[in-house]
Amino acid sequence: MLSIAQTQLPADSATVAGAALRTFFNIADAWRLNVEQAMVLLGLESRSTYFKWKKSPETASLNADKLERLSYIFGIYKALQILLPKPEAADGWVHQPNQAVLFSGQTALQRMLSGRVADLYVVRQYLDAQCGWA
């Protein structure tokens, strides 16, 4: 599985940052994330940075960690759209308790909110397997 962080970025990092963050904020809205949850998924600690990026995403400087996080989130979102074609079902899945071993009755969002990139990876891998891509 190739992530955004592992690919060569175009020379115009402002374009990449703008597009990636606009996509992320759209997903955050669809998933009904609050500011704190969105910040954890992005790996941000600064509320001022979060709101600056939300207002002007092209001003962000996305390091490899942020790009990797975004890549996993985009993959999770895409897999859910494929597995659950109704948007409300796909977007609501992250909030539903899950009995799969890796969730132990928690929601996927709870797992992703650990703050660790590894948990984003695990959820992505789980969904990729459900799609038959693993």
Side-chain angles (χ1 to χ4, degrees):
M1 173 172 25
L2 189 63
S3 71
I4 293 173
Q6 297 168 319
T7 61
Q8 187 159 3
L9 296 176
D12 186 359
S13 62
T15 301
V16 172
L21 288 173
R22 278 189 297 278
T23 301
F24 171 78
F25 290 122
N26 287 335
I27 292 170
D29 287 344
W31 287 354
R32 302 180 324 275
L33 302 181
N34 62 36
V35 171
E36 289 74 22
Q37 292 169 327
M39 287 176 58
V40 169
L41 292 185
L42 278 174
L44 280 178
E45 295 180 10
S46 167
R47 287 178 68 88
S48 61
T49 299
Y50 174 85
F51 287 110
K52 179 183 175 189
W53 286 6
K54 190 163 185 174
K55 181 178 180 182
S56 302
E58 67 285 345
T59 65
S61 178
L62 300 177
N63 61 23
D65 173 74
K66 303 295 184 265
L67 290 170
E68 184 176 11
R69 289 170 177 278
L70 290 166
S71 175
Y72 292 139
I73 292 163
F74 297 165
I76 291 165
Y77 181 82
K78 177 183 177 180
L80 288 171
Q81 299 301 312
I82 291 168
L83 289 167
L84 304 165
K86 292 185 178 179
E88 58 278 358
D91 296 335
W93 183 87
V94 297
H95 296 280
Q96 300 301 316
N98 194 313
Q99 295 307 313
V101 173
L102 71 118
F103 298 111
S104 301
Q106 292 188 319
T107 69
L109 184 59
Q110 287 172 303
R111 178 78 191 244
M112 292 187 290
L113 288 175
S114 73
R116 296 183 307 252
V117 173
D119 286 309
L120 294 172
Y121 170 78
V122 167
V123 174
R124 166 80 188 267
Q125 206 173 34
Y126 171 81
L127 290 169
D128 283 356
Q130 298 303 306
C131 288
W133 301 336

